[in-house]
Amino acid sequence: MSSARVDYIAPWWTYWLHNFPHINLRFQPADNSFQPGDENYQQSLMFLGCVAAAGLGLNLLCLAVYLSCLCCCRKDEEEESKKPNSCCVTWSAVAAGLITCVAVGVGFYGNSETNDGVYQLTYSLYNANHTLGGVDSLVTGTMGNMKSSLHQHLARLDEIFATRGDYVQTLQFMQQMADNVIKQLLGLPDWEEAKVDLASIADQTASIEYYRWFTYLLLLILDLIICLLACLGLAKQSRWLLTTMMVFGVLTLVLSWTSLGADLATAVGTSDFCVSPDKYVMSQTKGIISADIVHYYIYCNQTLSNPFQQPLTIFQRSLTTMQIQIQGLLQFAVPLFPTAERDLLGIQHLLNSSEASLHQLTALLDCRGLNKDYLDAMVGVCYDGVEGVLYLCLFSILAACAFTVMLCAIPRAWRQIACRERDYDDIDEEDPFNPRARRIGSQNPNHTNMHSFCSYSSSMGSQNSLHPPAPAVSNAPMSDYMNQTALFGGNPRYENVPLIGRGSPPPSYRNRMCFPRSAVLEARS
């Protein structure tokens, strides 16, 4: 198998992020090597969050200046100035909606990629933890069998073979071989502490990733809902909805810049680790596992010697020697001591199970399994993980831009809605062409201020000059007659009597209905 450096190559974006300036809070340069326990390194990552906070402050300051200018600089509300402002608000809303949709799409992709990378990391940690747990279980089980079960069988055989010195010497030699096996197993590293550390790291990482993924999902949904409600408020011209969305827009703007600072610091810190992960791993395992063993698993090169080869070889030879001795005792001692057969078969079964454990132990201690888990973890973190965090940074930037545009457009839309309502209130309610007046007239039929263009009361002195004909008999009730006359002139006249049972209108109404007032006055003179 090729070396790990050939299989794992850090992506270019990790080097780009690794070269970001690392400056502590005292504005002094810091080392860019991954040292999460170092105070200066922690301050260099916090400095990136402070940069995002400064960007938020600058953004809010620009919005405050814009709103102040919008409130102080009143423009003329003529038709020529209203039309361009309306187009500006419309295009601003369209731009904010499109940018928000793109930002949400990028955010969903980045959130999914980050979750995939972290899942691959935790999966690899659990696999490595299972491997180390299997090694520890095999070593513990084999040592227990050698110390307790084998010792009991040898003690009983020593009593049975007490009269045969040669058989007793064989048993003593087997006890030496068993002690040698125990010694070689004790020479293996203690994986218990490393196993517990990997399990705890995997559990904490999985828990943190779940809350991170769920928080970003809520933030994405919140951005989308605020954008849709803002567009709905612009379409419905609802001032209270626009005001509410403006408040939520400021809140989302703060959240976007906050997430940008956290993501940027996470991306830079993870990239510092991805550039040289072997150095950090060896520093963390120092004092727990020897450097040769860690180097063997990280690089897994065929040119490197297996640090477990010698103890495993001695283990195998000791088991083979003990099996040969047991075969000889079964062949020559059992005919003389039949009661020893049970203990000899028990020892043989124990040696066979120990040999099977030896083969499993050899496979688990091989570098290829743990090295594959190591490479999978690095690929998950440094490729999918960092790439997803970069997409989340892009989402935060796009969301901040979209809500900045939206916060600039909403006050203008609010002013335009207020101007339209004020102009609508200035319309004369006595104007017969006013839709509001028409609605009032239809809702209040007793309203007497709306005069008919052709009513009889519009002619001055017509009561003396014109003699109306005798009214025809009408079966209409008096209340209907009064309502109809009040609607068309305000005064009950013979000309306004409903034309029920008459073949033609009255002469006076027919002569005046198509002539203006001036023509009637000239005719009288």
Side-chain angles (χ1 to χ4, degrees), residues 119-196:
Y119 174 77
Q120 190 170 354
L121 169 64
T122 56
Y123 184 77
S124 300
L125 289 176
Y126 284 128
N127 278 345
N129 182 73
H130 179 72
T131 301
L132 298 179
V135 171
D136 183 72
S137 177
L138 290 172
V139 170
T140 304
T142 304
M143 291 177 61
N145 290 333
M146 289 294 176
K147 287 181 178 180
S148 61
S149 299
L150 182 62
H151 180 72
Q152 293 175 2
H153 288 298
L154 291 177
R156 285 194 294 266
L157 288 174
D158 187 67
E159 295 177 357
I160 295 173
F161 296 150
T163 57
R164 294 293 301 265
D166 53 347
Y167 293 161
V168 173
Q169 290 180 358
T170 302
L171 295 177
Q172 292 176 356
F173 179 74
M174 292 178 62
Q175 184 64 49
Q176 292 177 0
M177 292 293 102
D179 294 338
N180 194 17
V181 169
I182 295 174
K183 180 180 179 181
Q184 299 303 321
L185 293 177
L186 289 174
L188 296 176
D190 186 10
W191 302 100
E192 185 66 25
E193 187 174 357
K195 182 188 69 173
V196 172

Side-chain angles (χ1 to χ4, degrees), residues 27-46:
F27 298 97
Q28 297 175 353
D31 189 12
N32 59 357
S33 59
F34 186 70
Q35 299 173 355
D38 185 63
E39 183 179 0
N40 287 329
Y41 184 79
Q42 294 175 359
Q43 291 183 3
S44 66
L45 297 181
M46 293 173 59

Side-chain angles (χ1 to χ4, degrees), residues 290-355:
S290 64
D292 294 338
I293 297 176
V294 177
H295 192 271
Y296 168 72
Y297 284 114
I298 289 178
Y299 296 100
C300 194
N301 198 331
Q302 293 295 333
T303 59
L304 298 175
S305 61
N306 189 347
F308 308 108
Q309 186 66 39
Q310 183 177 358
L312 292 177
T313 302
I314 296 175
F315 187 8
Q316 177 67 45
R317 290 176 181 177
S318 300
L319 289 178
T320 304
T321 303
M322 294 171 68
Q323 287 176 346
I324 294 173
Q325 298 297 325
I326 290 296
Q327 289 292 337
L329 291 175
L330 287 172
Q331 183 178 359
F332 298 104
V334 169
L336 300 176
F337 303 94
T339 56
E341 183 179 7
R342 181 179 179 181
D343 289 316
L344 291 175
L345 291 176
I347 293 175
Q348 188 180 34
H349 181 268
L350 188 148
L351 294 177
N352 291 333
S353 63
S354 298
E355 186 176 7

